[in-house]
Amino acid sequence: MFPRHRRLVTALIVTLTATACTAGSGGSATESGPKAEAPQTIEVWHGWSAPHEVQAFDDAVAGFRKLHPNITVKLVKGQDDTKILNAIRSGNPPDVVSSFSTNNVGQFCSSGALQDLTPFLKKDKVDTSVFPQTVQTYTQYKGVRCTLPLLADDYALYTNKALMKGSQPPKTISELTTLAKKLTVRNPDGSIKVAGFLPSVTYYEHVGEHVAPSFGVNWLNGQGRANFATDPGFTKYLQWQKSLIDWYGYDNIKKFVHSMGQEFEASNPFEKGKVAMAIDGEWRVKFLQEEAPTVQYDTTPVPVNDDRQNAYGGGFVTGTIIGIPRGAKHPQASWEFVKYLTTNTDALVTFANGLGNVPSTIPALSSPKLTLPPQFRTFLDVFKNPNSTTIPSTVNGGDFVVKFDAFVQDQWEPGKVPNLQQGLQSLDDKVNSALKLAGG
């Protein structure tokens, strides 16, 4: 898994007819198609496209090729969820797919687009306790485990040492707010020259999905319905966010955002010394190492609201997922590939080192072969922290997150919401209507 830019929270509102999750005709999924020992070629789709990403994936697969010389693995880069679902619907899917969006697991599993891997796991007696609890949560939906984790992403606070001017990284939201104001440098016209911290959801990884957990939010209630108007954490988050936006000036933030470089290029404003503190994924360590090696920085857990200081150390966790599509022509060989890539410690460590991502099994997390910089330790700790959270799965993917960020960006930040409670209630109604329409 790699940069969250590939894993943007998008709701794939695609209707898929759930059919038997077997490949070919007759027999169970674990027995259909050619035997794993037979000579065959499997096609594997993944989303990575940058040269170092593609190479990292190929390096991770090298061990599988040696172990299974009879299976030729054809890797196809740059594939997203829309392409994957279109291929499945057309009846001509690849044998294995990986996705950057855990938000779509509910849709993948409930529709049968990806096969239930439980029979394969049971047949080979794979102990799923090798996967931390958080990743076990986001790889299944209502008891159907149609994916397995393939590396993980989590989020922490990056601080530019030079811009911090001796200040310690904040642990609470109030400390973050104070530092954001202290470290901000304005131009003579009041516009932003250097931002201490940008609270807007339009700033790369500062979307609600990554920041709101600091306020202890529960996205859905016990009935699986939207919780925005009921959970006080959302109100606290939004009121804090808006107060800091107003301090900067909404127009100033818009101007600064429009002037920013690309998130995954050397022009990234944190790498250029234009932002003192930023929430970002673990991959930024690798980018800084390659694109801005002279920048001195720290990584620490994302600050938490002042009434949740005992939760400090956790963070938002997600990851790349991998599975076998409905209609795959070589399910047994595909399973051998999925099992190897998700449980083999050397493969995961090789992949993690190449991409700068978090290994997704407990043994790989403690492997002495991990060769990532010291700043990466924060992400390993966040990943294992019991206070870390992820996004719940729904039948229509991340639609509720998409609607929330749209509400924040288009209505809340510009000051178009006269009554926050009413606005959140209206948002709840829209999300719940969409869930109902999707069969949730």
Side-chain angles (χ1 to χ4, degrees), residues 1 102 126-140 145 147-154 315-321 342-343 345 348 358-366 379-390:
M1 95 228 37
T102 58
V126 175
D127 182 7
T128 56
S129 67
V130 299
F131 306 116
Q133 188 57 50
T134 304
V135 298
Q136 290 193 47
T137 299
Y138 67 61
T139 51
Q140 63 178 312
R145 185 180 298 284
T147 68
L148 285 177
L150 180 59
L151 300 189
D153 290 329
D154 57 30
F316 179 76
V317 175
T318 184
T320 296
I321 49 177
T342 59
T343 62
T345 297
L348 287 168
V358 177
S360 43
T361 66
I362 293 172
L365 283 169
S366 57
F379 297 95
L380 298 178
D381 293 341
V382 168
F383 187 62
K384 294 182 287 186
N385 192 290
N387 293 304
S388 290
T389 61
T390 191

Side-chain angles (χ1 to χ4, degrees), residues 149-167:
L150 180 59
L151 300 189
D153 290 329
D154 57 30
Y155 292 79
L157 184 73
Y158 286 76
T159 51
N160 183 307
K161 287 187 175 181
L163 297 180
M164 292 290 284
K165 301 176 182 177
S167 297

